[in-house]
Short mmCIF file of all heavy atoms in Angstrom, two decimals:
data_model
loop_
_atom_site.label_atom_id
_atom_site.label_comp_id
_atom_site.label_asym_id
_atom_site.label_seq_id
_atom_site.Cartn_x
_atom_site.Cartn_y
_atom_site.Cartn_z
N ARG W 1 -8.60 48.78 -2.70
CA ARG W 1 -8.85 47.36 -2.88
C ARG W 1 -9.67 47.16 -4.15
O ARG W 1 -10.78 47.69 -4.29
CB ARG W 1 -9.61 46.78 -1.68
CG ARG W 1 -9.04 47.16 -0.33
CD ARG W 1 -7.59 46.76 -0.16
NE ARG W 1 -7.43 45.32 -0.02
CZ ARG W 1 -6.27 44.71 -0.04
NH1 ARG W 1 -5.14 45.42 -0.24
NH2 ARG W 1 -6.18 43.40 0.12
N PHE W 2 -9.12 46.37 -5.09
CA PHE W 2 -9.81 46.10 -6.34
C PHE W 2 -11.03 45.20 -6.10
O PHE W 2 -11.02 44.33 -5.22
CB PHE W 2 -8.87 45.43 -7.34
CG PHE W 2 -7.73 46.31 -7.77
CD1 PHE W 2 -6.45 46.10 -7.29
CD2 PHE W 2 -7.95 47.36 -8.63
CE1 PHE W 2 -5.39 46.91 -7.67
CE2 PHE W 2 -6.90 48.19 -9.03
CZ PHE W 2 -5.63 47.96 -8.54
N THR W 3 -12.07 45.42 -6.90
CA THR W 3 -13.29 44.62 -6.78
C THR W 3 -13.75 44.14 -8.15
O THR W 3 -13.39 44.71 -9.18
CB THR W 3 -14.43 45.44 -6.14
OG1 THR W 3 -14.68 46.61 -6.93
CG2 THR W 3 -14.08 45.86 -4.72
N LEU W 4 -14.57 43.10 -8.12
CA LEU W 4 -15.21 42.60 -9.34
C LEU W 4 -16.71 42.77 -9.15
O LEU W 4 -17.29 42.25 -8.21
CB LEU W 4 -14.89 41.11 -9.54
CG LEU W 4 -15.48 40.47 -10.80
CD1 LEU W 4 -14.71 40.91 -12.03
CD2 LEU W 4 -15.46 38.95 -10.68
N ASP W 5 -17.33 43.54 -10.03
CA ASP W 5 -18.78 43.70 -9.94
C ASP W 5 -19.36 43.62 -11.35
O ASP W 5 -18.63 43.73 -12.34
CB ASP W 5 -19.16 45.01 -9.26
CG ASP W 5 -18.73 46.25 -10.04
OD1 ASP W 5 -19.18 46.42 -11.19
OD2 ASP W 5 -17.95 47.06 -9.50
N PRO W 6 -20.68 43.41 -11.47
CA PRO W 6 -21.28 43.20 -12.79
C PRO W 6 -21.07 44.35 -13.76
O PRO W 6 -21.17 44.15 -14.97
CB PRO W 6 -22.77 43.01 -12.46
CG PRO W 6 -22.79 42.52 -11.05
CD PRO W 6 -21.64 43.21 -10.38
N ARG W 7 -20.80 45.55 -13.27
CA ARG W 7 -20.66 46.69 -14.17
C ARG W 7 -19.23 46.92 -14.63
O ARG W 7 -18.99 47.78 -15.48
CB ARG W 7 -21.17 47.96 -13.48
CG ARG W 7 -22.64 47.88 -13.07
CD ARG W 7 -23.13 49.23 -12.57
NE ARG W 7 -24.47 49.15 -12.03
CZ ARG W 7 -25.14 50.18 -11.54
NH1 ARG W 7 -24.56 51.38 -11.52
NH2 ARG W 7 -26.37 50.04 -11.07
N LEU W 8 -18.28 46.20 -14.08
CA LEU W 8 -16.88 46.45 -14.41
C LEU W 8 -16.59 46.23 -15.88
O LEU W 8 -15.93 47.05 -16.53
CB LEU W 8 -15.98 45.56 -13.55
CG LEU W 8 -14.47 45.74 -13.74
CD1 LEU W 8 -14.05 47.18 -13.46
CD2 LEU W 8 -13.69 44.78 -12.85
N SER W 9 -17.08 45.12 -16.43
CA SER W 9 -16.80 44.84 -17.85
C SER W 9 -17.42 45.88 -18.76
O SER W 9 -16.86 46.22 -19.80
CB SER W 9 -17.32 43.44 -18.21
OG SER W 9 -16.46 42.45 -17.73
N ALA W 10 -18.59 46.41 -18.38
CA ALA W 10 -19.21 47.45 -19.20
C ALA W 10 -18.34 48.70 -19.22
O ALA W 10 -18.21 49.38 -20.26
CB ALA W 10 -20.60 47.78 -18.65
N LEU W 11 -17.71 49.02 -18.09
CA LEU W 11 -16.84 50.20 -18.03
C LEU W 11 -15.55 50.00 -18.82
O LEU W 11 -14.95 50.97 -19.29
CB LEU W 11 -16.51 50.52 -16.57
CG LEU W 11 -17.68 51.00 -15.70
CD1 LEU W 11 -17.25 51.08 -14.24
CD2 LEU W 11 -18.17 52.37 -16.17
N LEU W 12 -15.13 48.74 -18.96
CA LEU W 12 -13.85 48.45 -19.61
C LEU W 12 -13.99 47.90 -21.03
O LEU W 12 -12.99 47.67 -21.70
CB LEU W 12 -13.06 47.44 -18.78
CG LEU W 12 -12.66 47.90 -17.37
CD1 LEU W 12 -12.04 46.73 -16.60
CD2 LEU W 12 -11.68 49.06 -17.44
N ALA W 13 -15.23 47.69 -21.47
CA ALA W 13 -15.46 46.97 -22.73
C ALA W 13 -14.83 47.66 -23.94
O ALA W 13 -14.46 47.00 -24.91
CB ALA W 13 -16.96 46.80 -22.97
N ARG W 14 -14.68 48.97 -23.90
CA ARG W 14 -14.12 49.69 -25.05
C ARG W 14 -12.61 49.89 -24.95
O ARG W 14 -12.02 50.53 -25.81
CB ARG W 14 -14.81 51.04 -25.19
CG ARG W 14 -16.30 50.91 -25.55
CD ARG W 14 -16.92 52.27 -25.81
NE ARG W 14 -18.33 52.16 -26.18
CZ ARG W 14 -19.12 53.20 -26.45
NH1 ARG W 14 -18.62 54.43 -26.42
NH2 ARG W 14 -20.39 53.00 -26.76
N ALA W 15 -12.01 49.37 -23.92
CA ALA W 15 -10.56 49.50 -23.78
C ALA W 15 -9.86 48.74 -24.92
O ALA W 15 -10.32 47.67 -25.33
CB ALA W 15 -10.11 48.94 -22.43
N PRO W 16 -8.76 49.27 -25.45
CA PRO W 16 -8.10 48.62 -26.58
C PRO W 16 -7.55 47.23 -26.26
O PRO W 16 -7.34 46.43 -27.16
CB PRO W 16 -6.97 49.60 -26.94
CG PRO W 16 -6.75 50.40 -25.70
CD PRO W 16 -8.09 50.52 -25.05
N TRP W 17 -7.33 46.94 -24.98
CA TRP W 17 -6.79 45.64 -24.59
C TRP W 17 -7.88 44.59 -24.37
O TRP W 17 -7.57 43.44 -24.09
CB TRP W 17 -5.95 45.78 -23.31
CG TRP W 17 -6.65 46.47 -22.17
CD1 TRP W 17 -6.57 47.80 -21.85
CD2 TRP W 17 -7.53 45.88 -21.21
NE1 TRP W 17 -7.34 48.08 -20.74
CE2 TRP W 17 -7.94 46.91 -20.33
CE3 TRP W 17 -8.02 44.59 -21.00
CZ2 TRP W 17 -8.81 46.69 -19.26
CZ3 TRP W 17 -8.89 44.36 -19.94
CH2 TRP W 17 -9.27 45.40 -19.08
N HIS W 18 -9.14 45.00 -24.49
CA HIS W 18 -10.24 44.07 -24.21
C HIS W 18 -10.44 43.15 -25.41
O HIS W 18 -11.36 43.31 -26.21
CB HIS W 18 -11.52 44.85 -23.90
CG HIS W 18 -12.48 44.10 -23.02
ND1 HIS W 18 -13.30 43.13 -23.50
CD2 HIS W 18 -12.71 44.18 -21.69
CE1 HIS W 18 -14.03 42.64 -22.51
NE2 HIS W 18 -13.69 43.26 -21.39
N ARG W 19 -9.55 42.17 -25.53
CA ARG W 19 -9.55 41.24 -26.65
C ARG W 19 -9.43 39.81 -26.14
O ARG W 19 -9.17 39.58 -24.96
CB ARG W 19 -8.41 41.55 -27.62
CG ARG W 19 -8.55 42.91 -28.30
CD ARG W 19 -7.50 43.09 -29.35
NE ARG W 19 -7.65 44.36 -30.04
CZ ARG W 19 -8.18 44.50 -31.25
NH1 ARG W 19 -8.62 43.43 -31.91
NH2 ARG W 19 -8.25 45.69 -31.81
N GLU W 20 -9.60 38.87 -27.05
CA GLU W 20 -9.57 37.46 -26.67
C GLU W 20 -8.22 37.11 -26.04
O GLU W 20 -7.18 37.57 -26.46
CB GLU W 20 -9.81 36.58 -27.90
CG GLU W 20 -9.99 35.11 -27.55
CD GLU W 20 -10.35 34.27 -28.76
OE1 GLU W 20 -10.25 34.78 -29.91
OE2 GLU W 20 -10.76 33.11 -28.59
N ASN W 21 -8.29 36.26 -25.02
CA ASN W 21 -7.08 35.88 -24.29
C ASN W 21 -6.09 35.10 -25.16
O ASN W 21 -6.48 34.32 -26.02
CB ASN W 21 -7.45 34.99 -23.10
CG ASN W 21 -8.05 35.78 -21.96
OD1 ASN W 21 -8.32 36.97 -22.08
ND2 ASN W 21 -8.26 35.13 -20.84
N TRP W 22 -4.83 35.35 -24.87
CA TRP W 22 -3.75 34.55 -25.45
C TRP W 22 -2.57 34.70 -24.50
O TRP W 22 -1.90 35.74 -24.48
CB TRP W 22 -3.39 35.04 -26.85
CG TRP W 22 -2.52 34.09 -27.62
CD1 TRP W 22 -1.63 33.18 -27.11
CD2 TRP W 22 -2.44 33.94 -29.05
NE1 TRP W 22 -1.01 32.49 -28.12
CE2 TRP W 22 -1.50 32.94 -29.33
CE3 TRP W 22 -3.08 34.57 -30.11
CZ2 TRP W 22 -1.17 32.55 -30.62
CZ3 TRP W 22 -2.76 34.19 -31.39
CH2 TRP W 22 -1.82 33.18 -31.66
N ALA W 23 -2.31 33.70 -23.69
CA ALA W 23 -1.24 33.77 -22.71
C ALA W 23 0.12 33.85 -23.40
O ALA W 23 0.36 33.15 -24.39
CB ALA W 23 -1.29 32.58 -21.76
N SER W 24 0.99 34.68 -22.88
CA SER W 24 2.30 34.88 -23.49
C SER W 24 3.35 34.00 -22.81
O SER W 24 3.20 33.57 -21.67
CB SER W 24 2.72 36.35 -23.36
OG SER W 24 2.97 36.67 -22.01
N VAL W 25 4.42 33.77 -23.54
CA VAL W 25 5.53 33.00 -22.98
C VAL W 25 6.16 33.75 -21.81
O VAL W 25 6.61 33.15 -20.82
CB VAL W 25 6.57 32.68 -24.07
CG1 VAL W 25 7.23 33.94 -24.62
CG2 VAL W 25 7.61 31.71 -23.54
N GLU W 26 6.15 35.09 -21.88
CA GLU W 26 6.70 35.87 -20.77
C GLU W 26 5.84 35.72 -19.51
O GLU W 26 6.36 35.63 -18.40
CB GLU W 26 6.80 37.35 -21.15
CG GLU W 26 7.80 37.63 -22.25
CD GLU W 26 7.17 37.63 -23.65
OE1 GLU W 26 6.02 37.14 -23.78
OE2 GLU W 26 7.83 38.10 -24.59
N PHE W 27 4.53 35.73 -19.68
CA PHE W 27 3.62 35.56 -18.54
C PHE W 27 3.86 34.22 -17.87
O PHE W 27 3.87 34.10 -16.64
CB PHE W 27 2.18 35.68 -19.03
CG PHE W 27 1.16 35.88 -17.94
CD1 PHE W 27 1.48 36.51 -16.75
CD2 PHE W 27 -0.15 35.45 -18.13
CE1 PHE W 27 0.52 36.70 -15.76
CE2 PHE W 27 -1.11 35.64 -17.15
CZ PHE W 27 -0.78 36.26 -15.96
N ASN W 28 4.09 33.20 -18.68
CA ASN W 28 4.38 31.87 -18.14
C ASN W 28 5.69 31.90 -17.35
O ASN W 28 5.81 31.35 -16.25
CB ASN W 28 4.47 30.86 -19.29
CG ASN W 28 4.39 29.43 -18.82
OD1 ASN W 28 4.79 29.10 -17.71
ND2 ASN W 28 3.88 28.56 -19.67
N LEU W 29 6.67 32.59 -17.89
CA LEU W 29 8.00 32.61 -17.28
C LEU W 29 8.01 33.36 -15.96
O LEU W 29 8.67 32.94 -15.00
CB LEU W 29 8.99 33.23 -18.25
CG LEU W 29 10.48 32.99 -17.99
CD1 LEU W 29 10.83 31.54 -18.24
CD2 LEU W 29 11.32 33.90 -18.89
N VAL W 30 7.29 34.48 -15.88
CA VAL W 30 7.37 35.30 -14.67
C VAL W 30 6.65 34.68 -13.49
O VAL W 30 6.79 35.15 -12.35
CB VAL W 30 6.82 36.73 -14.91
CG1 VAL W 30 7.55 37.40 -16.04
CG2 VAL W 30 5.32 36.72 -15.16
N TYR W 31 5.91 33.61 -13.72
CA TYR W 31 5.16 32.98 -12.63
C TYR W 31 5.90 31.80 -12.01
O TYR W 31 5.28 30.97 -11.34
CB TYR W 31 3.79 32.54 -13.11
CG TYR W 31 2.66 33.39 -12.58
CD1 TYR W 31 1.83 34.11 -13.42
CD2 TYR W 31 2.43 33.47 -11.21
CE1 TYR W 31 0.79 34.89 -12.92
CE2 TYR W 31 1.40 34.24 -10.70
CZ TYR W 31 0.58 34.95 -11.56
OH TYR W 31 -0.44 35.72 -11.05
N ARG W 32 7.19 31.70 -12.18
CA ARG W 32 7.96 30.62 -11.56
C ARG W 32 8.36 31.06 -10.14
O ARG W 32 9.51 31.37 -9.86
CB ARG W 32 9.18 30.28 -12.41
CG ARG W 32 8.90 30.09 -13.90
CD ARG W 32 8.04 28.87 -14.17
NE ARG W 32 7.56 28.84 -15.55
CZ ARG W 32 8.19 28.24 -16.55
NH1 ARG W 32 9.34 27.62 -16.33
NH2 ARG W 32 7.67 28.23 -17.77
N TRP W 33 7.38 31.08 -9.24
CA TRP W 33 7.60 31.62 -7.90
C TRP W 33 7.99 30.51 -6.93
O TRP W 33 7.41 30.34 -5.85
CB TRP W 33 6.33 32.31 -7.41
CG TRP W 33 5.96 33.52 -8.21
CD1 TRP W 33 6.66 34.10 -9.21
CD2 TRP W 33 4.75 34.29 -8.07
NE1 TRP W 33 6.00 35.19 -9.71
CE2 TRP W 33 4.82 35.33 -9.03
CE3 TRP W 33 3.64 34.20 -7.24
CZ2 TRP W 33 3.81 36.27 -9.16
CZ3 TRP W 33 2.64 35.15 -7.37
CH2 TRP W 33 2.71 36.18 -8.32
N HIS W 34 9.01 29.74 -7.29
CA HIS W 34 9.40 28.60 -6.48
C HIS W 34 9.92 29.00 -5.10
O HIS W 34 9.85 28.22 -4.15
CB HIS W 34 10.48 27.79 -7.21
CG HIS W 34 10.10 27.44 -8.62
ND1 HIS W 34 10.92 27.66 -9.70
CD2 HIS W 34 8.96 26.90 -9.12
CE1 HIS W 34 10.32 27.27 -10.80
NE2 HIS W 34 9.13 26.81 -10.48
N SER W 35 10.46 30.21 -5.00
CA SER W 35 11.02 30.63 -3.71
C SER W 35 9.95 30.84 -2.64
O SER W 35 10.27 30.96 -1.46
CB SER W 35 11.85 31.91 -3.87
OG SER W 35 11.09 32.94 -4.48
N LEU W 36 8.68 30.88 -3.04
CA LEU W 36 7.60 30.98 -2.05
C LEU W 36 7.52 29.74 -1.17
O LEU W 36 7.07 29.80 -0.02
CB LEU W 36 6.25 31.17 -2.75
CG LEU W 36 5.90 32.54 -3.31
CD1 LEU W 36 4.61 32.43 -4.13
CD2 LEU W 36 5.72 33.56 -2.19
N ILE W 37 7.92 28.58 -1.69
CA ILE W 37 7.70 27.31 -1.01
C ILE W 37 8.81 27.02 -0.01
O ILE W 37 9.98 26.92 -0.38
CB ILE W 37 7.61 26.15 -2.03
CG1 ILE W 37 6.49 26.41 -3.04
CG2 ILE W 37 7.36 24.83 -1.32
CD1 ILE W 37 5.10 26.41 -2.46
N PRO W 38 8.47 26.87 1.28
CA PRO W 38 9.49 26.49 2.26
C PRO W 38 10.02 25.09 1.97
O PRO W 38 9.37 24.27 1.32
CB PRO W 38 8.72 26.51 3.59
CG PRO W 38 7.51 27.36 3.33
CD PRO W 38 7.16 27.13 1.90
N SER W 39 11.21 24.82 2.48
CA SER W 39 11.80 23.49 2.28
C SER W 39 11.09 22.43 3.12
O SER W 39 11.18 21.24 2.83
CB SER W 39 13.29 23.53 2.63
OG SER W 39 13.98 24.40 1.74
N HIS W 40 10.40 22.86 4.19
CA HIS W 40 9.58 21.97 5.00
C HIS W 40 8.20 22.59 5.15
O HIS W 40 8.07 23.82 5.29
CB HIS W 40 10.19 21.75 6.38
CG HIS W 40 11.40 20.86 6.36
ND1 HIS W 40 12.64 21.31 5.94
CD2 HIS W 40 11.57 19.55 6.70
CE1 HIS W 40 13.52 20.33 6.02
NE2 HIS W 40 12.91 19.25 6.48
N LEU W 41 7.17 21.76 5.11
CA LEU W 41 5.80 22.24 5.15
C LEU W 41 5.04 21.62 6.32
O LEU W 41 5.21 20.43 6.62
CB LEU W 41 5.08 21.92 3.84
CG LEU W 41 5.62 22.69 2.61
CD1 LEU W 41 5.23 21.99 1.32
CD2 LEU W 41 5.09 24.11 2.62
N ALA W 42 4.19 22.44 6.95
CA ALA W 42 3.35 21.96 8.03
C ALA W 42 2.14 21.24 7.44
O ALA W 42 1.35 21.84 6.72
CB ALA W 42 2.89 23.12 8.90
N VAL W 43 2.02 19.95 7.72
CA VAL W 43 0.94 19.15 7.17
C VAL W 43 0.42 18.21 8.26
O VAL W 43 1.14 17.31 8.70
CB VAL W 43 1.39 18.30 5.95
CG1 VAL W 43 0.24 17.46 5.44
CG2 VAL W 43 1.94 19.19 4.85
#
């Protein structure tokens, strides 16, 4: 189980991917999870 703790960023700070965020068009595209939603919802 992954966790977030105050020391995590210190352990990862030198990783080559630790750079300023810039969301990609692919990331936007892969999150179209419309099939999760039932056609009827309990409300």
